Amino acid sequence: AGIGKCVAMDLARRNARTILACRSRERGQAAVEEIRAATGNPAVVLKLLDTSSLASVRAFASAVLREESRLDVLVNNAGVTGLPFAITSEGLEQTFATNYLGSFLLTNLLLG
């Protein structure tokens, strides 16, 4: 939703292979189908990613590196605000993990 969806729509309109990295399979697949229909680009795909989970970030990066021949653009758009204080299963404060650590780790893993 929001900025990320708009960016994905614009990339897909330019015929870019576009990977939507989403926490929710249901919402992500709905976005994929909407973007494909609006752009006519069938190369829009969904991969699950929860940036608050470093394990999820590592699994996502591993899959991208294994399955994609190259990555030209990375848009780090995940973020949350206003959540009550919570600790992730990895012992990290949830907002900090989501808004900073996950994106930082993802970027570094994909740099190779």
Side-chain angles (χ1 to χ4, degrees):
I3 293 170
K5 187 174 171 186
C6 288
V7 170
M9 185 79 73
D10 186 63
L11 292 170
R13 277 194 180 107
R14 298 168 190 247
N15 290 322
R17 176 168 167 73
T18 306
I19 300 169
L20 276 63
C22 302
R23 263 188 328 229
S24 165
R25 181 180 305 277
E26 185 176 284
R27 289 179 60 203
Q29 192 58 46
V32 164
E33 291 168 14
E34 180 183 339
I35 293 168
R36 283 179 182 167
T39 65
N41 183 345
V44 178
V45 298
L46 172 66
K47 292 193 183 298
L48 296 181
L49 172 63
D50 179 354
T51 57
S52 73
S53 164
L54 301 185
S56 176
V57 170
R58 290 180 191 284
F60 176 87
S62 177
V64 168
L65 291 171
R66 183 178 58 254
E67 297 167 9
E68 302 296 329
S69 61
R70 65 188 232 208
L71 179 66
D72 295 314
V73 176
L74 174 65
V75 178
N76 284 313
N77 185 60
V80 294
T81 185
L83 295 180
F85 179 83
I87 300 294
T88 68
S89 62
E90 295 161 313
L92 303 167
E93 193 280 320
Q94 185 175 23
T95 301
F96 182 60
T98 302
N99 294 352
Y100 180 75
L101 295 177
S103 295
F104 182 82
L105 178 61
L106 179 61
T107 300
N108 279 278
L109 291 172
L110 293 175
L111 284 173

